Amino acid sequence: MSTAAIADKRPSTLRGASLPRWSPWAIAAGSIAVACGIGAGAGLTSHIQWGLIAAILFLLGTYAVAARVEGRRQAKDRIATSLVWVAFLLAVVPLVSLVWTTLSRGVKVLDIYFLTHSMGVVPDSQPGGGIYHAILGSLEQVGLATVIGAPIGVLTAIYLVEYGRGRLAQAVTFFVDVMTGIPSIVAGLFILSLMLIFNMEPFGFAGSLALAILMMPVVVRSTEEMLKLVPNELREASLALGVPKWRTILKVVLPTSIGGITTGIMLSIARIAGETAPVLLLVFGNRFINANPFEGAQQSLPLYIYQQYANSAGANAAYDRAWAASLTLIAFVMILNLVARGIARWKAPKTGR
């Protein structure tokens, strides 16, 4: 046999030692076992403390094993990957715990009767009643806020991207950035000051105005980013054919970015659907059904949850109603997010043949 043939059969020495694929799982299992032992031995009663100990042991174990087998350079890469996974778990575990707690406690009274009846004359300390009046109020208030805030936000974004130049555009951008981080209570106080000037009583539309103020900067920012993603070649091609700019925006730019714009509007609706402070100041709450948002106090789901939980001292019925309303609100936000994802996929630009 020739020397070349013998050399071909030798294993390559350019590839260094590598840990098996199951090694992260083994290190994680060992870290959890050791953390449980440390927690039990030290008398730690919180599972959160056990989890943090396991995370630290996992990072240290990963680096030690990888450095010994693969070298320090590869160990640094593995420790970075492990940090990403640990951060992911630290973010997911509270979310899963929240959803599980809301689901397990909210299903106790969540039924058709609960969804189709109001509180009426039912005392907070007694079982019965429902959230129909709160669902109706939330739908009307959020719907009116969307009718006001979404068009203004989209048109403002179109101005900033397509027409905005000079100091006016810079001022609008600055105020949009400021409004993005404005606390919800400030928007409620602004509308409340106007109500006090005109000597007006609490009513649903006042809450819609405050929610629209919170919604507009979110819509402006999301729409602005979507419009910037439209290639300039599409605009130039349309303008080269003699199409006016307003018609180019209407027929070319907006249809191209409509999926992202709709997604941003849906997410902004989900953002304002859970606001409590403006509704507490302006809508005031109502135990009975009020389908007219322009007259009289109304109820909403976030305000209903707050009031039921605040009145749940020694009353399990109010406590259960608060959790059931929270589950309903989470389901509402989840449906909005799913609708946004569906519209984004449906309206996404088609690729391929």
Side-chain angles (χ1 to χ4, degrees), residues 1-8:
M1 185 178 295
S2 63
T3 306
I6 296 175
D8 292 338

Side-chain angles (χ1 to χ4, degrees), residues 61-340:
T62 299
Y63 182 81
V65 174
R68 184 174 181 85
V69 176
E70 300 177 333
R72 292 186 177 182
R73 183 175 181 180
Q74 187 65 20
K76 292 179 181 179
D77 179 75
R78 286 189 176 274
I79 201 69
T81 305
S82 300
L83 282 172
V84 172
W85 278 104
V86 170
F88 168 74
L89 291 176
L90 290 176
V92 168
V93 168
L95 177 62
V96 173
S97 176
L98 173 64
V99 173
W100 173 253
T101 303
T102 306
L103 185 64
S104 60
R105 296 183 177 181
V107 296
K108 293 181 180 179
V109 296
L110 185 61
D111 52 18
I112 299 299
Y113 178 87
F114 183 74
L115 295 174
T116 56
H117 287 74
S118 65
M119 287 300 296
V121 296
V122 178
D124 290 333
S125 59
Q126 299 297 322
I131 58 172
Y132 176 75
H133 60 309
I135 294 176
L136 182 63
S138 286
L139 291 177
E140 290 181 349
Q141 294 161 27
V142 173
L144 289 172
T146 304
V147 171
I148 297 171
I152 295 177
V154 172
L155 292 175
T156 303
I158 292 175
Y159 166 76
L160 292 176
V161 176
E162 304 294 338
Y163 297 98
R165 300 292 184 273
R167 295 184 178 180
L168 179 59
Q170 294 176 359
V172 172
T173 302
F174 172 76
F175 283 111
V176 168
D177 292 337
V178 172
M179 290 178 63
T180 302
I182 189 174
S184 59
I185 190 67
V186 176
L189 288 174
F190 172 71
I191 301 299
L192 180 61
S193 64
L194 297 179
M195 292 174 60
L196 294 176
I197 292 174
F198 294 100
N199 196 22
M200 302 174 68
E201 296 294 330
F203 61 109
F205 185 66
S208 299
L209 293 176
L211 296 178
I213 293 175
L214 298 173
M215 180 182 185
M216 281 187 288
V218 180
V219 177
V220 171
R221 275 284 164 254
S222 60
T223 303
E224 188 178 2
E225 295 302 322
M226 290 301 103
L227 294 177
K228 288 179 179 178
L229 293 177
V230 178
N232 286 327
E233 289 77 5
L234 294 178
R235 298 181 176 88
E236 295 170 355
S238 178
L239 295 174
L241 294 174
V243 180
K245 188 169 185 177
W246 68 269
R247 194 171 182 84
T248 299
I249 297 172
L250 188 63
K251 295 295 185 179
V252 177
V253 178
L254 288 180
T256 305
S257 57
I258 190 63
I261 294 174
T262 306
T263 302
I265 293 175
M266 288 291 184
L267 294 179
S268 65
I269 294 174
R271 181 246 190 271
I272 65 173
E275 291 292 344
T276 306
V279 180
L280 180 61
L281 288 174
L282 306 172
V283 180
F284 211 66
N286 193 343
R287 301 179 66 86
F288 297 91
I289 299 173
N290 180 13
N292 185 4
F294 300 98
E295 183 179 359
Q298 265 193 327
Q299 188 63 278
S300 70
L301 277 174
L303 182 57
Y304 178 90
I305 296 168
Y306 168 76
Q307 292 176 342
Q308 289 297 311
Y309 191 82
N311 299 328
S312 63
N316 292 329
Y319 189 73
D320 293 339
R321 285 193 294 264
W323 280 107
S326 301
L327 181 59
T328 305
L329 184 59
I330 289 177
F332 175 70
V333 174
M334 183 186 68
I335 291 172
L336 283 179
N337 280 272
L338 292 176
V339 170

